[in-house]
Structure formats: structure tokens, C-alpha cells
Amino acid sequence: MQISDLPYPDPGVPDARSGPRFLLWLGRGQLGGQAKSLGWGLLHHCGIAGLPFAVGFGVEAVVKGDGRRLLLVGAVIVLLGIAISLGDAMLHRTAVTNWITAAARVQQLLARRTAELGAALTRRVAAGEVVAVSTGDVEKIGWFVEAVSRFLAAALAIVLVCVGLVVYAPALGVVVAVGMPVLALASLPLLPRATRRADFQREKAGRATELASDTVAGLRVLRGIGGEELFLGRYREASQEVRSAAVRSARMWALISAIQVFLPGLLLITVVWYGSSLVLAGRLDIGELVAVFSAVSLMLYPLRNVEEIAMAYSFSRPSAQRAARVLSLTRTDAEAETAPVTGTGTDTGRGAGATADVPDAPAPGGDLYDPETGLLAPAGRLTAVVCGDPDVAGRLAERLGGQPVPADVATGEPSVLLGGVALDDLALDTARTLVLVQDKDPVLLSGTLRELFDVPASGAVEPAAALAAAQCGDVLEALLQSAPDGVTDPMDARVTERGRSLSGGQRQRLALARSLVTDPEVLVLDEPTSAVDSHTEARIADGISALRAGRTTVVLASSPLLLDRADRVVLVHEGRALPAGTHRELLRDEPRYRAVVTREPDGPERPRRPETAMAGLEEALTEIEESA
């Protein structure tokens, strides 16, 4: 795989059972690149290893006055220099290629898993954790993958030098052969503590990142209530905790680095002292001493790769563990526990290890039915759902989008049915083509308005019609006013990151228009008008009803304006759907519905006068309709 070939057509199915298994899976996927890097690394390090022997032969040639031998040694040194330069350049090239391809593969895997889980991801993993995994952890994983081949090349070069010194100068070579493994393994006892400190630092950094993300996202609200300084103070405190943890981690790594400098220096002193005594005793030639000293000096360079691979693994192992945790998540937690990723099979979006046949998509025009609550949304009609608890409404919206709760898998109960086919049994792309869920807090990505509406769609709804139905006229004007000179088409105006230059109601309406453009078989809207005024809400309700005529639409809301425009209204009470009716019928006949919609308690202790109450409610509803 070359960098120009990225991204991968298919990044594969990872072995996410543990961090080390995930790293091993990545390494197996890049055996060709690792072999190239190992070959160039051997050329580079063996060239370095050959220099001391060439220098030793040169010194002997000078002492003996052998000019011909000296010329031969000079030619060998030139060849070794070429090998060192070429090997170094190509080693760097191939190692960086391995790093980039590994990081790109991990990012593709994370992006695919994020798309599969959707909004459920941040309910299972903290947002700061997801950000840290997709940025810093990816780099650390790539660092270890590319360091492996350089370490193997350096280790082989060290072994070859030790063997060569034992053969070339046995009396002094044995000292080097014993000392080199000691140098390589001296820092290993400190690595567990260094790893724990690095993990603690990373945990603190993840919490600080999450706090910063939440603070920035709610900055406008915080300023409005005077809480900006409070949250900034909390972030300062979290930042100082990260700094303190980073200093403690750096101290440990500094100690490891000091050991890597002190012990090689001690070995050099030993070689010089013992070698000099051997020369004075006549047991060693001066050329041999120079060769051994030069070999030990130059071997300190490949020896650093031992320290680097230890650091890379210490940092990448927890990073790989966190990445594996995200990649092992499936569309249900129960599936994640019962069907772990094994590194084989085909990922269909239902969790690795799933072997059931994927059924065909249901025929268009089928009813949407939720066995868990008993909710039925007839095909081609606008159904409003009222839940007293917003969290219950959010979970119901998730189920309607094909995200079953864990209990469904444990009991064998099917997920939501569309035309009699369980959405959870469909391929993920098919399920999301059929059913689109817009949650309470939709996200707007930065870019032009035209790019915002460049989404997979049926083509039956034009952006202009969707914008009109969502009452986005003032949004278009606001975008044009903030656009650079020369931009006359609102579709070419840019939306800032997350739409922060717009108000909450404007962002909500743009997101609604984007959902209407897709024109799915079933559209589920969770509180689509919670941030707009009542007059705009009434017009939006009419726009949704008109634009989605003949299409299945489910709106989770408690606004009387939306409920009155619905073909049928269903109250979900204590997890079960009660008999459906129109908004006015339920207001008249169902006290539990009336209590949720009107925000007024209605219990046995309160005298009930339905005729008077209904007359007042209907009069108020008529006034709202006339004003709208």
C-alpha cells in the first residue's frame, strides 16, 4: 500500500478483543511495508556496524605501512557510506509510509464505526474520549507500527556486531556481548510505572478535552446566565491537573533516558580501561581496540531504537485498547458482549460475528410498528407521539431508527418493524435509507448551504421546497448578510462550524430542511420545533404536513400546534402506547394526555369539569389557529 492509494477501499474487520491483538492485526495487514522497512533498516544499520571494523583494519594498515590495504579500506568505507545514506533515506520513507497507512486505516475504522453507531456512540463513550481516540491515540498507534521494523533492524545489527566483535577480538568482544543486552533491558523495570503515569495523564487530558468541548458548545448560554467564568475556572483547574500529570510522566521518562545515557557511557569507560590493559599486555592490537571502541560508540545509535520501541508500545498499548473499545461497540451493548470481534467475517453493521442472512428490504408503503411500546405509525400518515419524559422520547426515537435496546437481544424480541421486516435485521445502509431520525440536537457541518443539502436523497424534494416548509426565509437572509461581497445566491453562503453564527431556532430549522430534502420512506423527528416561536411553529407544522403528504412521518412532540396538525396522536405512558386518536379527542377523553400537553396536573383530588375545561381549551386552540 502506497500513500497515494489511500484511503483503503476496505479497511477490513479489526480484531478488537484487546489492545495488543488490535496492534497485531494492524501489523499483519502491513507485512509488505514492514518487510521493506526492515530491509532498508538492515542496510543502514549494517553499514554503520561495518564502519568500526573498516576503521580498525585501516589503523592496522597504517601501523604496518601497508598502502595497498589502506586504499582497499578507503574504498570499503566509501561503499559503507553510500549504504548508510541510501538505507537511512529509504528507511525513513518506508517507515513514514507505514505510520501514515496504519493511522489512516485506524481512522477509517473509527469513522465507519461512528457512522454505524450514530447518536448512540456518545451515550456509550464520552465525547472527549472519542475525540482523543480519533486524534492523539491514532498517532500513537501509527508510531508503534512504524517503529517495529526499525527496532528489528537495529536489534539484528546489534547482534551481528556483538558476534563480529567476539570473532574479531574475543578478549574484549565478550565484554561488549555481555554489556549490550544489559543496556537494552536496563530500563524495562521502569516501563510499567511510566505507562501508568502516561495513562493517568491521558485520562486527565480526555476529561479536560470533554469539559472544553462542552464549554465551547454552550458558551452563548453560559454568557447569558453569567456562568462563563465558573466553567472557565473549572477548565483551568482541569488543565492544571493535566499539566501536573504530564510533569510526573515526563520525570519518569527522563529517568529512563538518563539510564540509557549513563549505562552506555559506563560501558565505553569499561571498554577503554580494559582494552588499554590488554594492549599494554600485548594481548590486543591497537587497531582492534580502536575497532571495538568505535563499534560500541556507534551501537549507541541503534540502541536508542530499543528505548523507542519500549516507549512506543507503552504509549500505543492503552491507545490501542481505547480504540479497540470503540471498534468493538455494536448497535447494541448486548451484541457487543455476546459477539466480540474476532478479526474474520463480514461487517454488516449488526456487529461482528453475526452470521444471519440479511433479509430483503421491505416493500414501500409498509406500517412502522414498535413491539416494545405497541406504537403503530400507519404508512403515508403523519403520526404524533407524546411522551411525558424527554429521555423516553429520545430512546423511542433511537428504536424507531433501528437501534434496539439490549433487552430486545436478550429476550429475542425483534426491533421496530417496517412492513413486517425488522429494521435491525437489515443491512445498516438499507435501514438508514428507509428510516431517517433527526434527534433533538442536530449538527450542522461547516460549508456552504449547497454543500449542507448535498446528502443522499430521493430527488423528489428540492432544497427550495424544504427550506420553505421549514420557514427558513430569515435564515437565508442572515446568511446572505454575513456572506462576502459578490455572493448573491443564499445557497453559496457559508455556514460556520456547527452553525454557531445562527440562533438555536435557525439551526433547528436548517436541520429540519435538510431532513425533508432526503425524503426517506419514514421520517422521525424528535422535537423539531422546540426552539422556535409559536407562530413559526404553526407554519412549520403546516409545511411538514404538506411536504410529507403520502409519506410516513413520526413527530415526537408535546406542542399543541404540532399535535393538532397530525393525522393521529399516540400517548406513550409508562412504556406502552395508549389507544390513538386526534389531538382534540385525546384532550377531551384522556386525562393523562391532557396533563402532559397542558402541563397541568389532573388527579382524583381535583374536581373535574370536562365541559368547562374543554370549552376553554378549544377556545384557546381556535385563537392560536387564527393568529397563526
Side-chain angles (χ1 to χ4, degrees), residues 354-380:
T355 57
D357 294 333
V358 178
D360 295 332
D367 295 340
L368 184 69
Y369 176 69
D370 178 22
E372 175 72 16
T373 61
L375 172 65
L376 174 66

Side-chain angles (χ1 to χ4, degrees), residues 526-538:
D526 188 3
E527 294 288 355
T529 58
S530 60
V532 301
D533 60 84
S534 58
H535 297 286
T536 306
E537 185 177 31

Side-chain angles (χ1 to χ4, degrees), residues 117 120 124 328-341 350-354 398-399 403-413 424:
L117 294 173
R124 303 179 188 179
S328 64
L329 293 175
T330 55
R331 293 173 67 184
T332 65
D333 288 330
E335 288 174 325
E337 295 172 0
T338 57
V341 176
R350 295 174 294 153
E398 183 178 342
R399 279 185 52 80
Q403 295 280 356
V405 298
D408 298 338
V409 179
T411 60
E413 186 174 3
D424 190 47

Side-chain angles (χ1 to χ4, degrees), residues 250-591:
R251 286 173 180 168
M252 183 57 63
W253 289 111
L255 177 60
I256 293 175
S257 298
I259 292 175
Q260 294 292 332
V261 172
F262 173 74
L263 292 183
L266 187 61
L267 178 61
L268 280 175
I269 293 174
T270 302
V271 166
V272 172
W273 172 78
Y274 184 59
S276 299
S277 63
L278 292 178
V279 171
L280 293 176
R283 297 173 53 192
L284 190 70
D285 293 335
I286 187 65
E288 294 175 336
L289 175 61
V290 170
V292 174
F293 176 80
S294 301
V296 175
S297 300
L298 291 177
M299 281 304 99
L300 300 183
Y301 167 66
L303 197 62
R304 294 176 183 175
N305 287 275
V306 178
E307 177 189 0
E308 182 190 13
I309 195 64
M311 293 180 64
Y313 182 73
S314 298
F315 280 101
S316 65
R317 183 190 56 78
S319 296
Q321 185 64 47
R322 287 183 287 267
R325 180 184 170 218
V326 175
L327 293 175
S328 64
L329 293 175
T330 55
R331 293 173 67 184
T332 65
D333 288 330
E335 288 174 325
E337 295 172 0
T338 57
V341 176
T342 60
T344 59
T346 302
D347 190 355
T348 63
R350 295 174 294 153
T355 57
D357 294 333
V358 178
D360 295 332
D367 295 340
L368 184 69
Y369 176 69
D370 178 22
E372 175 72 16
T373 61
L375 172 65
L376 174 66
R381 302 181 67 183
L382 173 59
T383 301
V385 181
V386 177
C387 299
D389 187 349
D391 292 335
V392 173
R395 290 193 293 270
L396 178 58
E398 183 178 342
R399 279 185 52 80
L400 294 178
Q403 295 280 356
V405 298
D408 298 338
V409 179
T411 60
E413 186 174 3
S415 64
V416 171
L417 305 176
L418 179 59
V421 178
L423 286 181
D424 190 47
D425 290 338
L426 296 173
L428 186 61
D429 55 351
T430 303
R432 289 189 174 168
T433 300
L434 294 171
V435 182
L436 174 67
V437 178
Q438 177 179 303
D439 60 15
K440 293 185 183 70
D441 301 309
V443 176
L444 299 179
L445 301 180
S446 60
T448 64
L449 202 58
R450 196 181 309 278
E451 293 170 341
L452 179 68
F453 286 94
D454 185 17
V455 293
S458 67
V461 178
E462 294 295 329
L467 289 166
Q471 300 298 308
C472 293
D474 63 316
V475 184
L476 301 181
E477 294 178 3
L479 289 175
L480 270 181
Q481 290 176 359
S482 61
D485 295 337
V487 177
T488 58
D489 188 351
M491 299 300 292
D492 294 326
R494 294 193 65 83
V495 178
T496 57
E497 181 185 2
R498 293 182 175 269
R500 290 197 175 100
S501 61
L502 303 173
S503 67
Q506 289 174 328
R507 291 196 299 270
Q508 193 174 58
R509 282 177 281 156
L510 272 183
L512 174 60
R514 179 181 58 187
S515 299
L516 293 173
V517 163
T518 60
D519 189 40
E521 178 76 15
V522 178
L523 177 61
V524 180
L525 303 172
D526 188 3
E527 294 288 355
T529 58
S530 60
V532 301
D533 60 84
S534 58
H535 297 286
T536 306
E537 185 177 31
R539 292 193 292 268
I540 290 175
D542 291 333
I544 294 175
S545 179
L547 198 62
R548 292 287 300 173
R551 306 288 272 171
T552 306
T553 307
V554 179
V555 180
L556 290 94
S558 58
S559 167
L561 291 171
L562 280 175
L563 298 174
D564 192 53
R565 266 67 172 185
D567 298 323
R568 63 199 303 273
V569 181
V570 180
L571 172 65
V572 176
H573 179 69
E574 295 182 353
R576 296 299 301 175
L578 302 183
T582 65
H583 170 57
R584 302 193 183 202
E585 291 171 350
L586 293 177
L587 273 179
R588 182 183 64 245
D589 302 331
E590 179 54 70

